[in-house]
Amino acid sequence: MLKRLAVALVAMVVGFSPLTPQIARADAPYWQCVTFARLTSGIEIRGDAWTWWQSAQGNYRTGSEPEVGSVLVFRPTGRMTRGHVAVVSEILTDRVIRITHANWGGSRGKIEENVTVADVSDAGDWSAVKVWYAPINDLGSSVYPVYGFVHNERLGGSTLIASLPSALG
């Protein structure tokens, strides 16, 4: 219980920091989460977001620990029937990260940068997360199940070089 309160406190402090999520310009192209994650991370997986976890098996290193540049793969649930993918942009604590992703919630087709995500799983294994919701300046009330992280390293040892597109800045 104390660990969850600590995670919530860190997320609140981070949410009020000057690095709160930024939404892309209105004239920016319409982005899908999969296209954005593939281009940003360099991970060459195609198909709906929920298929990334299975597609990564045997091809990319996967796990339950975030790394900058890895892709967080959300399970399909509720209105998010195709899942979701997001690129880890920063690790703040063992249970709080920032992601950059596209086509989420009220930002349809837009890119959101440095969005706070907190691990709220009982085991601390990143199997369930809450995502920062800017309109209320807090973590949203929804808990999203996730598969884990696909890392930008092909099995066999080659790390892919990828960075956020310069058009974001």
Side-chain angles (χ1 to χ4, degrees):
M1 179 68 164
L2 288 176
K3 198 161 192 175
R4 281 190 179 184
L5 289 173
V7 167
L9 181 59
V10 168
M12 277 184 40
V13 170
V14 167
F16 288 114
S17 77
L19 297 174
T20 54
Q22 301 295 312
I23 298 175
R25 298 177 314 271
D27 63 343
Y30 189 97
W31 285 96
Q32 296 290 342
C33 69
V34 168
T35 305
F36 178 79
R38 184 173 45 252
L39 291 173
T40 304
S41 69
I43 296 171
E44 286 297 321
I45 296 178
R46 304 207 181 268
D48 289 338
W50 69 271
T51 68
W52 276 48
W53 188 252
Q54 184 62 37
S55 295
Q57 304 307 308
N59 295 305
Y60 290 92
R61 190 168 56 84
T62 60
S64 60
E65 294 292 325
E67 295 176 9
V68 172
S70 62
V71 174
L72 177 60
V73 183
F74 291 71
R75 293 176 180 265
T77 182
R79 292 178 289 147
M80 197 169 60
T81 60
R82 293 183 177 172
H84 185 68
V85 288
V87 180
V88 176
S89 51
E90 186 177 2
I91 298 170
L92 301 173
T93 73
D94 63 332
R95 295 189 75 169
V96 180
I97 62 174
R98 286 208 172 123
I99 60 169
T100 297
H101 61 163
N103 202 24
W104 176 266
S107 297
R108 293 286 178 211
K110 304 284 188 231
I111 296 168
E112 291 182 303
E113 295 179 66
N114 299 317
V115 177
T116 302
V117 175
D119 171 19
V120 295
S121 64
D122 290 335
D125 62 1
W126 288 93
S127 60
V129 300
K130 283 190 172 187
V131 179
W132 188 262
Y133 187 53
I136 63 170
N137 282 323
D138 200 356
L139 291 172
S141 58
S142 297
V143 174
Y144 298 97
V146 300
Y147 290 108
F149 299 90
V150 176
H151 304 294
N152 64 347
E153 181 181 324
R154 286 190 183 273
L155 292 180
S158 66
T159 299
L160 304 171
I161 305 300
S163 61
L164 293 175
S166 60
L168 298 179

